[in-house]
Amino acid sequence: MPRIIYQGRVHEARAGQTVLDVLLEGGEPIAHACRVGACGACIVRATEGQPPAQAQVGLRDAWRAQGYFHACRAEVSGDLVVEPLGEGARVAAQIEERAALSPTVARVFVRLLGELPATAGQYVTLHRGHTARSYSIAALPAPGILELHVRRVPGGALSPYLCDDAAPGDPLLVQGPLGHCIYVPGRPEDPLLLAGTGTGLAPLWGVLHDALSANHRGPIYLFHGALTPGDLYLVEELRQLAATHPGLRYVPSAVRAEPDSRSMSAAPPELELGPLDEVIARHLPSTSGMRAFLCGAPEIVALLKRKLYLAGTSLRDIAADAFVPTAPPAASTR
Ligand SMILES: Cc1cc2nc3c(=O)[nH]c(=O)nc-3n(C[C@H](O)[C@H](O)[C@H](O)COP(=O)(O)OP(=O)(O)OC[C@H]3O[C@@H](n4cnc5c(N)ncnc54)[C@H](O)[C@@H]3O)c2cc1C
């Protein structure tokens, strides 16, 4: 029976268990959230033994070489000696500032107290106590400052704190970054398609601003989808940005038109109704030759990826980060 040795404590694994299951069952307080290798919350390090390749997908080469892996993706096949993330993989940080962007979304600024080279559009994992959740970097407004957009999930372990209670100076640990949605200069004429739902706007905001700063010459389409108009945010800022950048087309959309009682803001005049994939198809029947960035709800990201591929976008030109939510507790035990 293979064994996982975590900080000197020995845990026996049953067939088919993941390293995360074994450690949780053994009472180890391992932070975890999505359980599908998307959020990075449960990354640990193997100091002896080889973690399976699929548990290291998406990690930087340097991290792979040092034995880091997603504990939730590692089905146990042999003995492993495992340690928590080292100091080098997390930096101390503190809340810098918090402000409401809408009734349900807050802009949270985090000050890093150590080195963490990051690019807008990537995501970091915030650790507070034993809770870890991932958030995309919307901007780096000053050296060592991360801007995040956080939607309040009622009853959630971290987002209500970030949206309502986080105070300047509150300590955090920040891990990462990971993620694929970054603007890479070099093909300045390419048309760009940025599409996301909810706070999926955060990484797109980063990609958009980096593209504009790099004087991207091709047209840029930004599709921001929501359930109702009240779930949109940064509408005025994006409208103004589009007014001053002729190459930028901003298309806010909502599935339903009903005014949202939580929001006092009027629906933007550009608002389109319908599911995001249909709104995009109305504007861009063919997406051949476009570079696409997709973020937000996992089912929408998966749907858009498929539809854009069918509409002509090459899969290697699609960068996508799905905001996979925390797996329900039922999935925690086998
Ligand atoms: C790569 C990545 C990037 C992310 N970037 C952002 C970001 O920029 N901004 C942002 O606001 N969030 C982002 N998230 C989501 C974020 O990590 C948390 O999942 C979210 O903030 C909820 O955390 P919580 O601790 O408040 O709630 P939790 O304690 O995690 O959840 C409470 C309950 O609500 C359920 N739940 C949570 N979210 C959802 C949902 N969307 N749909 C249905 N059920 C849900 C959970 O399953 C659980 O039962 C990202 C996630 C990933 C994986």
Side-chain angles (χ1 to χ4, degrees), residues 33-34 38-40 105 123-124 131-137 148-162 199-200 202-203 233 297-299 321-329:
C34 76
C39 72
V105 177
Y123 62 90
V124 287
T131 301
R133 300 286 184 265
S134 303
Y135 296 96
S136 299
I137 304 167
L148 315 174
H149 300 169
V150 181
R151 183 173 76 86
R152 184 187 307 101
V153 173
L158 194 60
S159 64
Y161 156 77
L162 291 170
T199 45
Y233 66 94
E299 57 288 355
D321 280 324
F323 291 6
V324 182
T326 303

Side-chain angles (χ1 to χ4, degrees), residues 120-263:
Q122 291 183 297
Y123 62 90
V124 287
T125 305
L126 303 188
H127 292 255
R128 184 170 185 258
H130 291 312
T131 301
R133 300 286 184 265
S134 303
Y135 296 96
S136 299
I137 304 167
L140 297 144
I145 305 281
L146 307 179
E147 174 185 331
L148 315 174
H149 300 169
V150 181
R151 183 173 76 86
R152 184 187 307 101
V153 173
L158 194 60
S159 64
Y161 156 77
L162 291 170
C163 289
D164 303 324
D165 300 321
D170 282 1
L172 295 166
L173 286 174
V174 178
Q175 166 196 324
L178 293 172
H180 306 101
C181 283
I182 57 171
Y183 177 78
V184 182
R187 288 155 60 187
E189 313 293 343
D190 281 359
L192 304 184
L193 190 168
L194 281 48
T197 52
T199 45
L201 179 63
L204 303 180
W205 177 268
V207 171
L208 172 63
H209 282 82
D210 280 357
L212 294 177
S213 308
N215 293 319
H216 190 85
R217 291 194 291 275
I220 305 176
Y221 292 83
L222 171 60
F223 296 93
H224 187 202
L227 207 53
T228 69
D231 293 323
L232 295 166
Y233 66 94
L234 287 172
V235 171
E236 217 25 65
E237 290 82 346
L238 287 166
R239 295 186 69 212
Q240 280 176 20
L241 210 55
T244 51
H245 291 84
L248 171 61
R249 182 79 197 272
Y250 165 53
V251 185
S253 66
V255 177
R256 294 199 304 264
E258 297 100 292
D260 190 320
S261 57
R262 288 168 302 167
S263 170

